[in-house]
């Protein structure tokens, strides 16, 4: 079946879709505008594009000696559900330094694990759903996985390619390549691959990830029919060592422990493999021919196959009476779960220039999640091997894009199958070019992830079948953008919060859990979460000082949602031209810091994080030094991460048992080619 679906999509590679209108206005103003931010949250197609004087392609038009015309950069468009309409650019600014990482985006609020390609510790709760119906789970595996909304589509006047290289931790490399071409104004094809292999510094820490994507966009000459699609093949392989056994070895960091491979880990034989195949189609048709009042039909189809496996050759490597992950049914472990989803969404919409866009929608969803075994747990209860859900939803949406206001509202409610609710209202007010306000309210009644409902493992204590209530999130978010400061605030009320808890609370000599045998729990009390974040960049001629500070607080009776109160990032840098303006460069220091808190522990078997209240991490400085250069359309990055690690103490961790990275030298390059 998967092969047939693949062939159908491979030979229908054309795409573009969206009932919503695209505003292709491009601004060359360097100020950050709230319109761009509004796109991220409301998923509309409006965006402003900032260009800089170091952008090699910011010129309006160039005619070469051969008579060829080079199109302006505004014609090289990128369309993304999260970011809206942007463009290829060759700007080198401080934002590019923040995005010089494996995820290629600003990861403020995320703490990367020691090795590239591993998971991330979240310093702020995101509560973002990979799918707003029901998710597979294994959320710690999903940071590097490209979801449907992460895929970008393109429209380019000439072929464009992008190559990125980035060094990793130990032996290996990180490569990301993209090529896109318009065979005509109506049809675009793109092909991309991101691959990474990194050895790491500790025993059994190898990562090897691959993300392949292919897709296209198409529209008819009259633009009444528009279509886009993509296919992705992804595999995320991680060797899992379970964390270090004796943290005092790391804290001392004396010989012989400066060689990280000599530090004992929980297992030298564990590994996980998360795989995914997705075929996605999104197309719309305008029934009438009116330019100002359009009647539209839209259909979205998604087929996705996911699997997660955990294997460990020796279930009890230390022959202990209390193995770290508990007793096992056999001497080795091989857990594998498979997840298949079919999604069909249908919209009937009316789009008017005066009153906006109204749409009525229906969604049909089919989920199949299961194992190929039946487990009888230690209490004699039978753990089923499969869950199936068929859900029908009805809803609607409204979208308005005027000169000074953008409004977006959507609602979805299940009428058959599992109960769910998703209501979102977003409004953006652009007072002028420099001032803007955005407000968002969202109410979600969310079906529990499948890993909370059903889990089977070769470890006896980690098998369960539960019928939990829906989690409920009521969220109010506001943003203010101005030349003086950018502010963002969030207030959230959470009920029926689901989390993983450790059932064995005995501690070892280092104050860490002696065992990590977990089970899902549902918190029956209300959690209130508050966050405020401020960002401001100061410029002094060729010097810059960029500051981002976040304060957050969880109000709860028990330590379930744990976050550091303060997270900050401060960057001082210098930039200038040299060699008769042939080279533009930046150099500076980035300071990252967060206060101590009870950080969640990572559990490789369940692929998620576990709530704990025994050990606090944080309160350690992280200084990164960088020198970045730009030559035409090429960017060169030279970074020294955490260069202060040897003289500010070795008490730095991602979780209670996973140390943060040591001093790491990185070299990278990103090069765009416009033919």
């Amino acid at each position: 079946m998967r092969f047939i679906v693949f062939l159908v999509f491979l030979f229908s590679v054309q795409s573009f879709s969206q009932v919503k209108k695209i505003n292709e206005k491009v601004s060359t103003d360097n100020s950050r505008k709230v319109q761009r931010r509004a796109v991220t949250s409301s998923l509309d197609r409006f965006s402003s594009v900032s260009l800089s004087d170091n952008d090699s392609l910011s010129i309006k038009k160039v005619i070469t000696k051969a008579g060829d015309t080079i199109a302006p950069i505004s014609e090289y468009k990128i369309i993304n559900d999260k970011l809206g309409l942007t463009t290829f650019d060759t700007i080198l600014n401080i934002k590019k330094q923040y995005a010089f990482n494996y995820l290629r985006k600003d990861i403020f609020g995320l703490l990367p694990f020691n090795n590239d390609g591993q998971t991330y510790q979240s310093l702020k709760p995101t509560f973002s759903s990979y799918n707003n119906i029901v998710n597979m789970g294994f959320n710690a595996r999903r940071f590097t996985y490209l979801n449907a909304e992460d895929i970008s589509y393109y429209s380019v006047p000439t072929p464009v390619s992008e190559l990125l290289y980035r060094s990793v931790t130990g032996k290996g490399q990180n490569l990301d390549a993209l090529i896109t071409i318009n065979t005509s104004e109506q049809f675009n094809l793109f092909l991309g691959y991101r691959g990474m292999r990194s050895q790491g510094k500790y025993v059994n820490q190898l990562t090897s990830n691959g993300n392949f994507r292919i897709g296209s966009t198409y529209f008819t000459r009259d633009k009444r029919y528009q279509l886009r699609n993509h296919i992705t093949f992804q595999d995320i392989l991680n060797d899992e060592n379970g964390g270090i056994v004796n943290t005092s070895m790391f804290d001392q960091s004396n010989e012989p422990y400066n060689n990280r491979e000599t530090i004992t880990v929980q297992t030298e034989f564990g590994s996980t493999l998360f795989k995914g195949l997705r075929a996605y189609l999104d197309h719309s048709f305008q029934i009438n021919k009116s330019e100002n009042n359009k009647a539209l039909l839209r259909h979205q189809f998604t087929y996705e196959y996911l699997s997660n496996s955990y294997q460990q050759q020796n279930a009890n490597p230390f022959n202990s009476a209390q193995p770290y992950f508990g007793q096992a049914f056999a001497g080795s472990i091989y857990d594998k779960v498979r997840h298949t989803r079919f999604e069909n969404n249908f919209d009937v919409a009316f789009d008017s220039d005066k009153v906006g866009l109204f749409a009525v929608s229906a969604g049909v969803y089919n989920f199949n999640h299961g194992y190929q075994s039946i487990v009888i747990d230690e209490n004699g209860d039978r753990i089923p091997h499969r869950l199936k859900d068929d859900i029908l939803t009805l809803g609607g949406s409204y979208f308005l894009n005027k000169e000074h206001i953008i409004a977006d509202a959507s609602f979805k409610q299940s009428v058959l199958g599992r109960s769910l609710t998703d209501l979102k209202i977003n409004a953006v007010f652009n007072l002028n070019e420099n001032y803007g306000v955005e407000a968002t309210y969202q109410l979600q009644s969310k079906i529990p992830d499948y890993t909370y409902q059903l889990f089977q493992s070769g470890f006896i204590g980690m098998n369960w079948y539960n019928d939990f209530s829906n989690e409920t999130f009521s969220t109010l978010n506001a943003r203010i953008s101005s030349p003086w400061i950018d502010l963002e605030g969030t207030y959230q009320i959470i009920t029926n919060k689901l989390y993983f808890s450790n059932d064995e609370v005995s501690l070892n000599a280092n104050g860490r859990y002696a065992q990590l045998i977990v089970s899902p729990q549902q918190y029956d009390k209300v959690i209130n979460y508050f966050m405020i974040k401020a960002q401001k960049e100061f410029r002094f001629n060729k010097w810059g000082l960029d500051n981002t500070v976040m304060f957050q607080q969880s109000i709860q009776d028990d330590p379930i949602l744990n976050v550091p109160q303060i997270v900050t990032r401060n960057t001082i840098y210098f930039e200038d031209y040299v060699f008769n303006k042939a080279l533009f460069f930046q150099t500076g220091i980035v300071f990252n810091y967060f206060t101590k808190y009870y950080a969640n522990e990572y559990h490789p078997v369940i692929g998620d994080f576990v709530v704990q209240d025994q050990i606090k991490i944080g309160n350690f400085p992280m200084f990164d030094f960088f020198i970045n250069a730009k030559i035409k359309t090429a960017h060169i990055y030279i970074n020294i991460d955490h260069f202060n690690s040897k003289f500010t103490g070795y008490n730095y961790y991602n979780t209670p048992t996973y140390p943060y990275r040591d001093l790491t030298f990185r070299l990278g390059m990103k090069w765009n080619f416009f033919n």
Side-chain angles (χ1 to χ4, degrees):
M1 179 64 186
R2 294 196 297 270
F3 180 72
I4 295 174
V5 173
F6 166 72
L7 287 179
V8 170
F9 275 78
L10 183 62
F11 289 102
S12 68
V13 278
Q14 344 197 7
S15 87
F16 169 38
S17 72
Q18 204 52 300
V19 173
K20 296 177 181 179
K21 296 180 289 185
I22 297 177
N23 188 326
E24 298 180 348
K25 180 181 178 181
V26 177
S27 171
T28 57
D29 185 10
N30 287 326
S31 62
R32 293 179 296 259
K33 295 188 175 59
V34 75
Q35 294 100 314
R36 173 82 171 269
R37 298 181 173 184
V39 173
T40 304
S41 56
S42 63
L43 302 185
D44 59 63
R45 289 294 184 263
F46 178 84
S47 175
S48 64
V49 179
S50 296
L51 300 177
S52 169
D53 60 357
N54 73 59
D55 188 345
S56 302
L57 299 175
S58 62
I59 49 178
K60 293 183 178 180
K61 184 178 180 182
V62 169
I63 301 178
T64 67
K65 292 182 179 179
D68 297 327
T69 300
I70 300 176
I73 190 60
S74 59
E75 297 299 316
Y76 293 84
K77 299 167 186 171
I78 305 173
I79 303 128
N80 181 277
D81 281 346
K82 288 183 177 180
L83 302 178
L85 180 66
T86 57
T87 184
F88 285 93
D89 67 77
T90 60
I91 304 169
L92 179 60
N93 56 26
I94 195 61
K95 306 304 179 187
K96 297 296 176 65
Q97 169 61 28
Y98 298 152
F100 180 60
N101 53 63
Y102 178 62
L103 299 183
R104 299 193 62 181
K105 64 181 182 180
D106 190 342
I107 58 172
F108 178 80
L110 292 177
L111 188 66
F113 270 44
N114 186 278
N115 194 17
D116 296 82
Q118 289 184 291
T119 187
Y120 292 76
Q121 177 71 268
S122 294
L123 302 178
K124 60 177 180 179
T126 58
F127 307 110
S128 61
S129 299
Y130 299 107
N131 184 285
N132 64 357
I133 305 299
V134 56
N135 293 307
M136 178 185 183
F138 299 100
N139 296 319
R141 306 263 196 273
R142 303 293 292 267
F143 287 99
T144 59
Y145 187 82
L146 297 176
N147 298 290
E149 61 270 21
D150 297 318
I151 302 299
S152 296
Y153 303 89
Y154 306 91
S155 176
V156 293
T158 63
V160 177
S161 56
E162 181 174 281
L163 299 175
L164 179 138
Y165 165 81
R166 182 174 177 269
S167 62
V168 293
T169 306
K171 297 178 181 178
Q173 60 278 318
N174 175 201
L175 300 172
D176 195 345
L178 167 74
I179 183 169
T180 179
I181 183 174
N182 270 70
T183 60
S184 67
E185 182 182 358
Q186 302 159 248
F187 177 73
N188 174 272
L189 176 68
F190 70 88
L191 179 71
Y193 180 76
R194 181 177 69 186
M196 193 210 61
R197 186 177 179 86
S198 179
Q199 182 184 33
K201 288 188 174 183
Y202 293 80
V203 174
N204 199 44
Q205 202 185 46
L206 174 73
T207 60
S208 180
N209 303 339
N211 307 81
F212 173 81
R213 58 200 185 275
I214 182 172
S216 59
T217 64
Y218 171 76
F219 59 88
T220 56
R221 290 186 181 277
D222 58 7
K223 297 186 179 180
R224 291 177 61 190
Y225 180 75
Q226 303 184 49
L227 179 147
R228 69 181 180 182
N229 64 31
H230 71 255
I231 300 172
T232 60
F233 300 90
Q234 303 180 70
D235 57 272
I236 302 168
L237 171 67
N238 290 266
D239 283 348
E240 302 283 2
N241 60 31
I244 60 179
V245 175
N246 190 348
T247 56
S248 63
M249 294 181 178
F250 176 81
D251 296 342
Q252 295 170 7
S253 263
N254 297 319
E255 292 293 347
Y257 304 124
N258 282 333
N259 182 359
R260 299 309 190 192
E261 293 184 355
T262 63
I263 297 180
T264 305
V265 295
Q266 293 291 351
T267 176
E268 300 180 10
F269 310 101
S271 66
T272 59
L273 178 61
F274 188 90
K275 299 179 68 175
L277 162 66
R278 181 176 59 251
Y280 175 83
L281 170 69
D282 185 350
H283 56 154
S284 64
F285 177 70
Q286 181 182 339
I287 301 173
N288 59 355
K289 296 183 179 181
S290 173
E291 291 292 331
N292 299 322
N293 299 285
K294 301 176 182 179
L296 304 128
L297 298 176
R298 180 190 181 193
H299 171 232
Q300 287 179 303
F301 169 77
T302 303
Y303 165 79
E304 192 162 27
Y305 169 80
L306 302 169
S307 68
N308 183 85
S309 61
Y310 175 83
Q311 54 184 331
Q312 186 175 324
Q313 294 180 16
N314 189 342
N316 189 358
F318 299 106
N319 296 317
S320 171
Q322 292 183 311
Y324 190 55
F325 297 134
Q327 299 292 339
F329 291 110
S332 61
I333 303 295
Y334 183 72
D335 303 336
K336 185 170 184 178
V337 61
R338 298 168 176 85
H339 178 94
T340 305
R341 63 197 313 131
F342 285 92
E343 302 181 10
N344 281 280
N345 286 279
F346 304 91
D347 293 277
V348 178
F350 176 75
D351 187 6
S352 170
D353 290 342
K354 294 183 178 180
V355 298
L357 185 149
F358 296 90
V360 178
S361 61
V364 181
Y365 306 90
N366 173 267
F367 304 97
N368 191 325
H369 180 91
Y371 300 81
Q372 293 183 337
S373 60
I374 295 176
V375 175
I376 305 298
D377 67 13
E378 51 193 348
N379 298 320
D381 297 325
R382 180 180 180 272
I383 305 296
H385 73 289
R386 189 168 302 280
L387 291 177
K388 293 184 178 181
D389 280 303
D390 295 293
I391 300 173
L392 173 65
T393 66
L394 295 178
S397 62
Y398 174 71
F399 176 73
L400 177 69
N401 186 355
K402 293 297 184 181
E403 182 177 1
H404 296 292
I405 183 172
I406 301 171
D408 192 2
S410 63
F411 176 73
K412 182 182 294 184
Q413 175 69 53
S414 62
V415 293
L416 289 177
R418 302 283 294 273
S419 174
L420 68 93
T421 303
D422 192 351
L423 168 67
K424 186 175 183 180
I425 302 172
N426 176 268
V428 179
F429 302 93
N430 300 307
L431 306 180
N432 52 46
E433 290 187 354
N434 297 316
Y435 295 89
V437 178
E438 177 186 7
T440 304
Y441 174 74
Q442 185 168 17
L443 174 64
Q444 281 187 303
S445 176
K446 182 179 177 296
I447 299 174
D449 292 353
Y450 279 116
T451 48
Y452 291 119
Q453 301 181 51
L454 171 65
F455 197 84
Q456 287 188 10
S457 174
F459 292 105
I460 298 174
M462 287 190 285
N463 290 272
W464 57 75
Y465 173 63
N466 299 299
D467 184 17
F468 288 120
S469 302
N470 280 14
E471 294 179 283
T472 303
F473 302 92
S474 180
T475 309
L476 179 63
N477 180 271
R479 295 177 179 178
I480 300 174
S481 179
S482 73
W484 311 105
I485 194 171
D486 290 346
L487 291 174
E488 178 183 357
T490 298
Y491 178 68
Q492 186 167 54
I493 301 173
I494 308 165
T495 56
N496 294 325
K497 177 78 173 70
L498 284 164
Y499 65 99
F500 289 104
S501 172
N502 192 10
D503 297 332
E504 300 294 331
V505 296
S506 58
L507 304 180
N508 60 24
N510 299 299
R512 270 68 171 173
Y513 286 126
Q515 290 182 287
L516 204 58
I517 307 173
V518 304
S519 64
Q521 305 291 330
Q522 187 153 44
Y523 190 56
D524 59 359
K525 299 179 181 178
V526 176
I527 299 175
N528 291 269
Y529 169 77
F530 170 79
M531 182 274 290
I532 186 167
K533 182 173 69 172
Q535 190 277 331
K536 173 61 179 175
E537 182 178 11
F538 299 94
R539 299 300 302 267
F540 309 95
N541 295 324
K542 299 176 182 179
W543 290 86
L545 177 63
D546 187 65
N547 305 285
T548 303
V549 180
M550 178 173 67
F551 173 83
Q552 53 188 351
Q553 182 73 49
S554 295
I555 303 173
Q556 53 194 346
D557 292 338
D558 304 285
I560 304 300
L561 179 62
N562 301 316
V563 293
Q565 279 197 334
I566 298 175
V567 182
T568 182
R569 179 180 63 197
N570 309 91
T571 304
I572 184 170
Y573 64 95
F574 175 83
E575 60 184 22
D576 199 5
Y577 289 94
V578 292
F579 304 122
N580 198 24
K581 289 195 173 184
L583 183 146
F584 178 81
F585 78 96
Q586 290 179 329
T587 182
I589 294 177
V590 182
F591 167 70
N592 286 280
Y593 172 84
F594 61 94
T595 53
K596 277 194 171 185
Y597 79 111
Y598 290 116
N600 293 341
E601 181 62 277
Y602 171 62
H603 199 306
V605 180
I606 62 172
D608 218 318
F609 287 86
V610 181
V611 172
Q612 62 89 27
D613 59 359
Q614 300 297 322
I615 298 295
K616 287 186 176 182
I617 70 165
N619 194 30
F620 58 87
M622 295 166 283
F623 288 95
D624 303 332
F625 172 77
F626 66 90
I627 300 177
N628 303 329
K630 174 186 175 300
I631 305 173
K632 294 187 176 179
T633 61
H635 292 180
I636 301 170
Y637 298 91
I638 301 174
N639 282 202
I640 304 177
D641 297 344
H642 201 194
F643 68 82
N644 61 300
S645 61
K646 290 186 179 295
F647 53 85
T648 54
Y650 289 90
N651 188 24
Y652 45 84
Y653 287 87
N654 290 89
T655 80
T657 61
Y658 284 83
Y660 182 64
R661 60 185 49 161
D662 301 309
L663 181 149
T664 305
F665 175 81
R666 297 193 184 279
L667 176 66
M669 172 179 285
K670 182 180 79 73
W671 203 338
N672 288 101
F673 299 89
F674 302 85
N675 292 329

